[in-house]
Amino acid sequence: MARASEAELLDVRGRQVRISSPDKVVFDEVPGGPVTKLEVAQYVVAVGDGILAALQDRPTALERWPDGYRRGMVLTTRTGVQGDGFYSKRVPKGAPEWVESVRIAFPSGRFADEVCPTELAVVVWAIQQNTVTFHPWPVRRGDVDSPDQLRIDLDPQPGTDYADAAALAPLVREVAEEAGLTLHPKTSGGRGLHLFAPIRPEWDFVRARRATIALAREIERRDPGRVTTKWWKEERGERVFIDYNQMARDRTIASAYSMRANPRATVSAPLRWEEVPEVTPDDFTIRTMPARFAQVGDLFAGANGTPENPGAGLETLLEWAARDERDHGLGEAPYPPEYPKMPGEPKRVQPSRARHDADDADDGAAAADPTA
């Protein structure tokens, strides 16, 4: 039996962080050979200023893979499917006293004390907990009910890919600028593209989500052949879905510089706008990002907002939302299935099922009516 490798102590800006089983393989198919747990921790240190800025003072769910990631592994889901990885939404037992937390409320009304990174050592400690991806909320610990980022998730549907999302991005940027927003792009680390805008934390999740719906509908109105806001997959077609529900409470997006659980060990890479149509997600991995970060710095810094420069307001987008409802009958859109029924929300049933139920009702009425 092979002897387990001895633990390593990393000095992370003056804080000692223990990495046990440093030779443990986390990714096994990466060009250049397997990626170990120690290499993952060293990656986080190499991009430290960027990943900490993306997570600083934000409630953060940890996507943990205790046995590393292998092709074919899956995440545990909300529907009860037991997978190889899972989301950790509460501070793990035994965490050091310097791992701080913040209390958040879930849509169910339950509460949890979630990890809230305040220093880079906390991020490295999360790697010791077998974290692969960090999922921060779009809020800060000072006000966990008021988003300070608007997050736009361009999600290519089957038959489309990253290139389709990239081709759509200039239109998204143009419409956002009309609403006063400045967008900052990054790859998702998968097939999609994420666009973040700092906003003033003056609106709750319901209104921030409603503003995102209004933005998405305006983009769809201008290019319906390439864009969809349809929540039900059967209605989306081969288009790019703008996932407005990523702005709902407790829905999160992988942070900038986060690794993703895939065989290539890609990372969510901030981009210059001129790079968006030129790159592919596979260009950015745990092994290529450190050199890029050393060369270009934190391209995502502007997305995080600061007290001195908190970002834009949502007034224009909320005016668009009111216009859509008044002039086009477009009110709320469906929430994710785990949410309680929300005010003004349409029926949460997929269209084909609704048609089937309606047909059954018509057949039943005809059978009961002898004159039919």
Side-chain angles (χ1 to χ4, degrees), residues 78-79 107-108 209 231-233 236 243-245 248 251 333-342 345 348-350:
R78 291 183 175 94
T79 59
S108 64
R209 175 181 173 276
W231 175 246
W232 302 105
K233 291 182 180 180
R236 294 177 187 171
D243 188 356
Y244 56 84
N245 269 329
R251 301 289 277 209
Y335 272 81
E338 72 273 11
Y339 275 66
K341 185 70 173 179
M342 300 295 286
E345 184 186 1
R348 202 180 295 174
V349 58
Q350 63 191 67

Side-chain angles (χ1 to χ4, degrees), residues 295-309:
Q295 179 182 17
V296 304
D298 184 11
L299 297 179
F300 214 62
N304 299 315
T306 65
E308 298 75 26
N309 184 23

Side-chain angles (χ1 to χ4, degrees), residues 20 40 179 246 300 363:
S20 64
V40 172
Q246 293 292 9
F300 214 62
D363 290 344

Side-chain angles (χ1 to χ4, degrees), residues 154-157 160-161 163-172 174 219-229 236-242:
L154 302 185
D155 184 7
Q157 298 303 290
T160 64
D161 57 18
D164 296 282
L168 179 63
L171 174 60
V172 180
E174 174 186 327
I219 296 164
E220 182 181 35
R221 190 174 292 121
R222 298 188 192 187
D223 196 347
R226 291 194 299 169
V227 183
T228 181
T229 61
R236 294 177 187 171
E238 293 186 4
R239 292 177 287 183
V240 176
F241 172 50
I242 301 180

Side-chain angles (χ1 to χ4, degrees), residues 203-225:
W203 293 269
D204 61 14
F205 276 98
V206 170
R207 286 181 289 180
R209 175 181 173 276
R210 190 69 187 276
T212 307
I213 294 171
L215 177 68
R217 284 172 171 163
E218 182 61 26
I219 296 164
E220 182 181 35
R221 190 174 292 121
R222 298 188 192 187
D223 196 347

